[in-house]
């Protein structure tokens, strides 16, 4: 009897030419590590996906552990995204979490959880021994799923999570984070700060093989010109080109150029 | 014909019969700790176990629920957001069933992921609770420290502290370890002030501390320690010097003297989480040591740390092996559960490999794991499986009811099952 292969639904990255390379996008439900050093537009690339998916009626959650929602929105607005077109729900007060959940529309919500603000709110409060920021992330995801559907999730960033949460057994803890995200069925993007020496994609390296995909963003200096570059290091269930692409961002839109237009040497 | 075969087998000294399941009790939530099996004050056996959602069950051996106790937590919205709802009430300690306060009734003591130690009375009511600043995975023990405190509870927490509490829940002293403590303590009894409390921590240290909580010695292994140390007079000696036996995540099993100096170590190929069992299993007048390893094997060592035999299962052996006479033949059997979801009963003496390499058909005819059979040098002993019972989920712990020779098994999928040996 022939096996019935499931068709793979894909989430577009809304990066011109990249989606064609990814057979239409990232497989739905995959966990993708967006890795790169500072200034490589990791957060912007992720926000670009959530923004465009919200316009398409999907519900998304962006958890910012370090950058305040105010700073993030100012940055996004400056990049040219029309924020009035999507239903942005800001969570920066835990006490109003239930109320904020009720503000969500049926579809097209882009929820931004400002954990930096929540951190200030709970500073000095006595919590139980099992209390940690990882639970906050998991509980916000669960609450959002209970209140509505949740299609996509961005964690900005894994590096900040490691600073906030002490993992006695990091490999086991990370295994459980990935297991939780995979079981929840949402398409997840985990932003990972890459060390300057580019020695690894993620802090504990176990994230690399737990993730279904790795998109690497880099800044390449040639003489005095700096070029942004993108490569798909791995993407499960996708036949893609793993070469390095030049990444460009103009007028609120990303695009990649195969082979790029390298500056004249 | 089959009956005749059984009689002939028995006459020839071969083991007969099979394991038979008496009953299953479905909890409906995962279990991650072993059951306690022991006698109540009324002389009847009880089975006590606790669940990942914080429910403690007391069953009689005929499956009747005597009572249950449920851990309750009152959290506000902010605390709720920070709590791990799946795990905050999880009990991963084996229930302690002892009269901790001298009221002639046995209490049940369990620790939880929320950092609290709960003491429950004989009717299932909370007597008192004690909050630590970490999670409690170290099974508490009761130790008679003599005057002035009498019996004290000893347990560790992930807040790096080993706690000593009196029967009313008053903290008498704490000892700060180098890291979190998940290993249950044991006591090296020398008499009063010379006693030692021995335990391991997550950084791999084994500690010997005085009954007042002062460090006497510590020994560093290369990995986390989650097993409980076993303390025994391993080799009979006039001074009754005892040996501390403990496995580490560095894959080694250690024998330490009373000052924490290594006597010998045995290297397995996997992390060792299983607590050891000690008995003269082959009736040679000396004690042997049996433990499981995450290299999927059960090992039997002699008192010099040399392997007598090993038996390979299909996954990790985390359970503490039980050494009992299951079938009343005056010989010990080894009972152990594996993460491969099988309950094994092994021959305590293993099986002697013939001094020639058997053909494939001969290997297939022998009991035990084929890989063990093939890789064991001829002329040596290897593990021998007597009986196996396949369950639906990985086995997290076993207990034994001595009077009726019943094996009690907890599985990850939330079942407690009772097995007996039948001819």
């Amino acid at each position: 009897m022939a096996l019935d292969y499931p068709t793979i639904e894909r989430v577009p990255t809304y990066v011109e030419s990249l989606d064609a390379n990814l057979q239409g996008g990232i497989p739905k439900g995959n966990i993708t590590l967006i890795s790169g050093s500072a200034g490589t537009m990791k957060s912007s690339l992720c926000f670009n996906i959530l923004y465009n998916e919200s316009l398409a009626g999907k519900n998304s959650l962006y958890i910012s552990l370090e950058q305040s929602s105010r700073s993030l929105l100012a940055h996004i607005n400056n990049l040219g995204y029309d924020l009035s077109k999507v239903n942005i729900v800001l969570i920066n007060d835990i006490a109003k979490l239930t109320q904020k959940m009720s503000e969500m529309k049926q579809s097209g919500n882009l929820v931004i959880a400002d954990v930096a603000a929540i951190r200030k709110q709970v500073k000095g409060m006595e919590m139980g021994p099992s209390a940690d920021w990882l639970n906050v992330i998991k509980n916000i995801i669960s609450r959002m799923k209970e209140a509505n559907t949740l299609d996509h999730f961005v964690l900005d960033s894994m590096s900040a999570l490691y600073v906030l949460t002490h993992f006695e057994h990091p490999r086991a803890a990370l295994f459980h984070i990935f297991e939780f995200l995979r079981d929840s069925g949402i398409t997840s993007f985990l932003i990972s700060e890459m060390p300057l020496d580019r020695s690894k994609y993620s802090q504990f390296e176990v994230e690399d093989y737990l993730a279904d995909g790795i998109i690497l963003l880099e800044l390449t200096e040639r003489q005095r010109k700096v070029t942004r570059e993108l490569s798909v290091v791995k993407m499960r269930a996708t036949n893609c080109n793993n070469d390095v692409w030049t990444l460009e961002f103009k007028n609120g839109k990303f695009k990649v150029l195969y082979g790029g237009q390298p500056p004249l040497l | 014909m089959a009956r005749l075969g059984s009689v002939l087998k028995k006459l020839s000294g071969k083991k007969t019969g099979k394991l038979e399941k008496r009953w299953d009790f479905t909890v409906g939530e995962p279990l991650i700790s072993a059951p306690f099996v022991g006698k109540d004050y009324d002389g009847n056996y009880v089975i006590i176990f606790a669940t990942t959602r914080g429910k403690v069950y007391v069953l009689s051996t005929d499956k009747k629920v005597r009572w249950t106790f449920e851990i309750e937590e009152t959290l506000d919205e902010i605390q709720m957001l920070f709590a791990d709802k799946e795990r905050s009430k999880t009990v991963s300690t084996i229930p302690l069933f002892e009269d901790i306060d001298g009221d002639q009734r046995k209490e049940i003591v369990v620790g939880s992921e929320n950092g609290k130690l709960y003491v429950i009375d004989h009717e299932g009511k909370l007597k008192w609770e004690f909050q630590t600043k970490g999670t409690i995975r170290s099974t508490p023990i009761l130790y008679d420290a003599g005057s002035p405190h009498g019996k004290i509870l000893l347990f560790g927490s992930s807040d790096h502290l080993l706690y000593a509490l009196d029967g009313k829940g008053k903290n008498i002293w704490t000892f700060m370890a180098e890291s979190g403590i998940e290993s249950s303590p044991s006591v090296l009894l020398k008499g009063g002030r010379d006693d030692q409390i021995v335990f391991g921590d997550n950084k791999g240290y084994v500690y010997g501390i005085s009954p007042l909580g002062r460090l006497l010695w510590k020994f560093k292994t290369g990995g986390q320690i989650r097993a409980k140390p076993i303390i025994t007079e391993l080799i009979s000696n006039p001074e009754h010097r005892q040996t501390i036996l403990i496995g580490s995540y560095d894959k080694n099993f250690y024998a330490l003297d009373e000052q924490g100096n290594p006597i010998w170590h045995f290297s397995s190929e996997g992390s060792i989480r299983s607590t050891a069992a000690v008995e003269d299993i082959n009736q040679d007048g000396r004690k042997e040591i049996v433990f499981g390893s995450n290299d999927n094997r059960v090992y039997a060592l002699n008192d010099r740390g040399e392997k007598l035999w090993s038996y390979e299962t299909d996954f990790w052996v985390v359970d503490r092996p039980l050494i009992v006479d299951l079938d009343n033949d005056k010989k010990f059997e080894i009972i152990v559960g594996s993460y491969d979801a099988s309950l094994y009963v092994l021959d305590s003496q293993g099986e002697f490999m013939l001094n020639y390499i058997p053909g494939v058909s001969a290997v297939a005819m022998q009991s035990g794991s084929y890989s063990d059979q093939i890789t064991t040098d001829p002329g040596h002993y290897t593990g021998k499986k007597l009986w196996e019972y396949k369950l639906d989920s990985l086995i997290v712990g076993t207990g034994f009811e001595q009077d009726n020779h019943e094996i009690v098994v907890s599985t990850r999928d939330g079942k407690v099952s009772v097995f007996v040996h039948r001819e």
Side-chain angles (χ1 to χ4, degrees):
Chain A
M1 198 174 77
L3 282 172
D4 188 15
Y5 293 105
T7 49
I8 300 169
E9 281 186 64
R10 292 183 185 270
V11 178
T13 61
Y14 299 92
V15 177
E16 194 182 318
S17 302
L18 180 63
D19 287 330
N21 178 49
L22 291 168
Q23 297 182 284
I26 289 160
K28 189 180 165 189
N30 264 20
I31 303 169
T32 306
L33 211 59
I34 308 290
S35 181
S37 54
T40 49
M41 298 192 85
K42 301 182 293 296
S43 305
S44 307
L45 186 80
C46 290
F47 197 91
N48 176 65
I49 299 169
L50 299 202
Y51 174 84
N52 284 292
E53 280 289 275
S54 297
L55 291 177
K58 303 289 185 191
N59 290 319
S60 304
L61 171 65
Y62 189 106
I63 293 188
S64 174
L65 293 179
E66 47 193 334
Q67 193 175 10
S68 71
S69 54
R70 192 185 168 87
S71 156
L72 180 71
L73 289 173
H75 171 68
I76 296 299
N77 193 44
N78 193 47
L79 288 174
Y81 291 93
D82 185 354
L83 297 174
S84 65
K85 286 186 177 172
V86 290
N87 183 39
I88 290 187
V89 179
L90 279 181
I91 298 174
N92 48 20
D93 183 350
I94 304 180
K96 291 181 182 160
L97 188 61
T98 310
Q99 181 202 325
K100 288 286 180 183
M101 292 289 174
S102 66
E103 283 176 17
M104 286 197 292
K105 292 179 182 170
Q106 197 61 35
S107 61
N109 298 290
L110 205 172
V111 178
I112 299 174
D114 182 350
V115 172
I118 296 172
R119 260 164 48 203
K120 285 178 194 150
Q121 196 184 357
V122 299
K123 199 176 174 186
M125 282 178 69
E126 193 69 32
M127 299 292 176
S130 65
D132 64 38
W133 289 98
L134 190 56
N135 293 338
V136 174
I137 294 165
K138 284 161 75 176
N139 288 332
I140 291 175
I141 290 172
S142 302
R143 291 284 292 274
M144 199 167 156
K145 280 188 77 182
E146 283 163 20
N148 211 323
T149 55
L150 177 60
D151 300 295
H152 311 306
F153 164 63
V154 170
L155 177 64
D156 188 0
S157 63
M158 294 295 278
S159 321
L161 179 67
Y162 301 144
V163 173
L164 289 175
T165 306
H166 168 70
F167 295 119
E168 194 157 3
H169 310 295
R171 283 171 173 259
L174 285 166
F175 177 81
H176 291 299
I177 300 169
F178 279 75
E179 195 179 44
F180 169 81
L181 292 173
R182 203 163 273 129
D183 288 349
S184 67
I186 53 181
T187 309
S188 305
F189 301 91
L190 308 179
I191 295 175
S192 175
E193 204 70 44
M194 197 184 202
L196 285 172
D197 63 2
R198 301 177 185 180
S199 56
K200 51 188 179 182
Y201 300 120
S202 54
Q203 185 157 333
F204 296 105
E205 296 176 78
V206 67
E207 302 94 316
D208 306 0
Y209 65 80
L210 286 175
D212 301 300
I214 302 174
I215 294 179
L216 175 64
L217 301 174
E218 291 179 286
L219 290 174
T220 305
E221 199 178 315
R222 290 186 181 89
Q223 295 199 343
R224 300 180 69 183
K225 183 163 173 65
V226 176
T227 311
R228 287 200 172 85
E229 292 181 333
L230 180 150
S231 54
V232 180
V233 177
K234 84 170 191 185
M235 191 60 66
R236 283 180 185 145
T238 305
N239 183 13
C240 64
N241 183 332
N242 300 108
D243 289 346
V244 178
W245 304 60
T246 299
L247 177 69
E248 285 187 357
F249 181 79
K250 269 184 198 160
N251 306 321
K253 284 192 173 17
F254 281 98
K255 74 170 175 183
V256 287
L257 304 166
Y258 181 60
Q261 301 283 328
L264 293 171
L265 296 173
Chain B
M1 195 66 185
R3 185 172 271 271
L4 179 65
S6 167
V7 171
L8 288 173
K9 261 187 170 181
K10 207 156 198 183
L11 286 172
S12 67
K14 285 194 172 168
K15 300 274 190 177
T16 56
K18 60 179 181 178
L19 284 181
E20 197 174 280
K21 193 195 282 180
R22 263 196 64 212
W23 52 259
D24 261 342
F25 181 85
T26 304
V27 185
E29 51 188 287
L31 300 173
I32 55 168
S33 60
F36 168 84
V37 182
K39 278 185 178 172
D40 198 353
Y41 264 115
D42 57 16
N44 294 318
Y45 269 97
V46 285
I47 300 165
I48 307 170
F49 60 93
T51 72
T52 46
R53 292 187 196 141
K55 202 163 176 181
V56 179
Y57 286 83
V58 178
L59 305 186
S60 51
T61 51
D62 58 358
K63 199 183 164 180
K64 282 197 186 111
V65 179
R66 283 198 180 185
W67 52 259
T68 61
F69 168 84
E70 198 157 358
I71 292 173
E72 283 178 12
E73 277 194 301
T74 323
L75 301 174
D76 61 29
E77 190 163 16
I78 293 175
Q79 287 169 323
M80 283 278 281
L81 197 63
F82 279 82
D84 184 342
K85 285 184 219 161
E86 294 292 314
R87 293 182 55 197
S88 68
K89 293 196 277 188
T90 293
V91 176
S92 39
T93 65
I94 303 169
L96 170 73
F97 189 50
E98 291 280 358
D99 177 8
I100 65 160
D101 52 12
D103 67 351
Q104 307 305 310
R105 292 281 190 179
K106 285 186 178 179
E107 286 80 29
I108 292 170
V109 187
V110 291
S112 167
E113 288 289 308
N114 65 12
K116 283 183 183 167
L117 188 84
Y118 295 91
V119 175
I120 308 154
D121 75 8
H122 65 284
E123 291 174 320
K125 293 191 184 71
L126 180 70
K127 265 197 159 175
W128 52 264
E129 59 186 43
F130 180 85
Q131 177 78 60
T132 71
K133 288 189 173 152
T135 55
I136 303 175
R137 293 178 188 166
S138 155
T139 292
I141 62 159
L142 189 66
Y143 161 56
D144 190 350
S147 182
H149 300 298
K151 287 181 180 174
I152 58 173
L153 283 169
L154 296 167
F155 63 97
S157 164
S158 69
D159 63 11
H160 300 198
L161 294 174
L162 185 90
Y163 289 86
L165 309 183
D166 71 11
K168 304 286 180 198
K170 187 184 159 204
N171 189 190
I172 301 165
W173 53 257
T174 54
F175 172 82
M176 174 72 87
E178 296 276 345
S179 70
I181 303 164
E182 293 184 29
S183 148
S184 177
S186 290
V187 179
L188 194 161
L189 292 166
K190 297 295 285 182
R193 280 186 293 182
D194 293 331
D195 287 352
Q196 290 184 23
I197 298 157
V198 183
F199 62 97
D201 77 2
N202 291 344
K203 270 194 180 165
Y205 284 101
V206 183
Y207 300 87
I209 63 173
S210 77
L212 294 172
R214 280 196 307 271
L215 179 69
L216 300 171
W217 54 263
K218 65 179 177 182
F219 171 77
K220 180 87 167 86
T221 73
Q224 186 187 6
I225 291 182
R226 292 179 75 177
K228 177 187 170 86
I230 295 300
I231 300 169
T232 182
E233 190 179 322
L234 188 62
I235 300 172
S236 182
N237 64 91
E239 295 84 23
H240 301 295
R241 283 191 311 272
Q242 298 181 69
T243 305
I244 296 152
L245 300 164
I246 194 159
S248 163
Y249 269 42
D250 69 5
K251 304 180 183 176
N252 293 318
F253 187 87
Y254 295 89
L256 309 177
D257 69 15
E258 291 181 357
Q259 286 76 44
N261 302 306
I263 304 169
W264 51 256
H265 75 268
F266 172 83
S267 298
S268 79
E269 290 169 37
S271 308
I272 301 173
R273 192 172 151 187
S274 157
T275 296
V278 178
E279 194 62 72
D280 177 9
I281 58 172
N282 54 10
Q283 293 158 329
D284 65 350
R286 304 178 75 120
K287 286 181 178 170
E288 284 80 32
I289 304 147
V290 184
F291 62 93
S293 166
N294 286 4
D295 65 9
N296 307 349
R297 290 186 172 89
V298 181
Y299 289 93
L301 310 182
N302 66 18
D303 56 14
R304 297 176 299 281
E306 297 157 344
K307 187 172 94 169
L308 293 177
W309 53 258
S310 67
Y311 179 81
E312 188 175 8
T313 74
D314 289 329
F315 204 19
W316 301 347
V317 183
V318 170
D319 184 27
R320 179 187 181 178
L322 301 167
I323 303 174
V324 297
D325 178 10
L326 181 67
D327 56 355
N328 282 313
D329 66 348
K330 312 281 185 241
K331 286 179 186 166
F332 285 120
E333 284 83 39
I334 314 288
I335 298 170
V336 70
S338 164
Y339 272 16
D340 70 6
S342 275
L343 174 68
Y344 293 92
V345 179
L346 307 178
D347 191 315
S348 60
Q349 305 202 23
E351 184 169 55
F352 190 72
M353 294 294 292
L354 297 172
N355 240 336
Y356 65 92
I357 306 291
V360 174
S361 60
V363 170
M365 289 293 287
Q366 295 187 62
S367 62
S369 166
Y370 295 165
S371 64
D372 260 1
Q373 299 279 348
I374 292 165
T375 56
T376 302
D377 290 336
H380 286 78
Y381 280 89
T382 185
K384 180 182 178 185
K385 180 178 75 181
L386 296 172
W387 304 293
E388 178 183 353
Y389 196 102
K390 193 85 185 159
L391 286 94
D392 297 329
S393 176
L394 54 90
I395 295 172
V396 293
T398 48
F400 192 68
E401 197 263 60
Q402 293 282 354
D403 288 357
N404 296 303
H405 289 216
E406 292 178 331
I407 308 165
V408 183
V409 178
S410 296
T411 51
R412 183 74 170 82
D413 64 351
K415 276 185 192 160
V416 173
S417 311
V418 170
F419 294 87
V420 286
H421 170 258
R422 293 255 190 260
E423 287 297 341

